[in-house]
Structures are given as structure tokens and as C-alpha cells.
Amino acid sequence: MRTYQGIARRLGLDEKMVRAVAEELEICGYRVAKPVKIGKVHVKAIRERYAAGESVMSIMANTGFDWKTVDNIARRKTWQHVKDGPNRITRSS
């Protein structure tokens, strides 16, 4: 998933310009993904993927989060209060 900030950085444009273009595209029926806030589910998924051997770059490309954000979460430098465990709500019978 791509964000306005990521697109702007990659193209060397101002984020305001990218947002303006996105608004024009939405008027024409196209959509650009809005930024996603990181939650506990994301943190657990990132840590599981990293523990399974997936690279930070691969996780970053797939999730749309910045490299440093993914790296800090995977190495437990941030979101330390989130414990490992199931990242889905399950029903017990």
C-alpha cells in the first residue's frame, strides 16, 4: 500500500502536491490509499513475519510503513507493551 508521503518522497514532490493530485483523481473515480495507523495487530504481524525470517525491506514494501518504523517494531525498540501471542480474536466453543 502506498501513502501520500511515500509517493511524494519517491517522486521528489511536495506531499501537498501529491494530495492535490489524489483529490483530482478521486473526483474522476480513482482512489489513492490513505495512510494506515499502526495498531497492535500490525505490530504482532510484523514481529511474526520478522521472526519467520522475512526481511525488513520486504515487510516494509508489503505494509507501506517506513523502514525505520518496521525495524524498530521488529527489534522491539518500540511498542514494547505489546506482548507476543495470537493476533486474531478467536471464539472458544
Side-chain angles (χ1 to χ4, degrees):
M1 180 176 0
R2 300 177 187 211
T3 62
Y4 298 131
Q5 185 180 30
I7 293 168
R9 187 180 316 126
R10 194 153 37 129
L11 297 176
L13 298 172
D14 183 37
E15 187 177 344
K16 290 180 183 178
M17 177 64 74
V18 173
R19 286 183 184 275
V21 170
E23 288 174 11
E24 288 297 320
L25 289 172
E26 283 186 31
I27 291 170
C28 297
Y30 297 96
R31 299 203 119 220
V32 175
K34 305 240 191 279
V36 174
K37 293 187 178 186
I38 297 176
K40 290 181 181 181
V41 173
H42 297 106
V43 171
K44 289 179 182 183
I46 288 170
R47 288 182 180 161
E48 285 176 9
R49 291 170 67 174
Y50 185 74
E54 191 171 346
S55 71
V56 171
M57 289 295 287
S58 174
I59 297 169
M60 180 195 82
N62 186 261
T63 60
F65 300 130
D66 291 335
W67 180 86
K68 193 65 176 170
T69 302
V70 173
D71 187 58
N72 285 339
I73 291 170
R75 297 174 193 271
R76 291 177 168 75
K77 292 182 179 180
T78 57
W79 289 83
Q80 297 157 344
H81 63 282
V82 176
K83 305 295 180 205
D84 291 341
N87 62 356
R88 295 185 191 148
I89 299 172
T90 57
R91 277 167 101 169
S92 58
S93 27

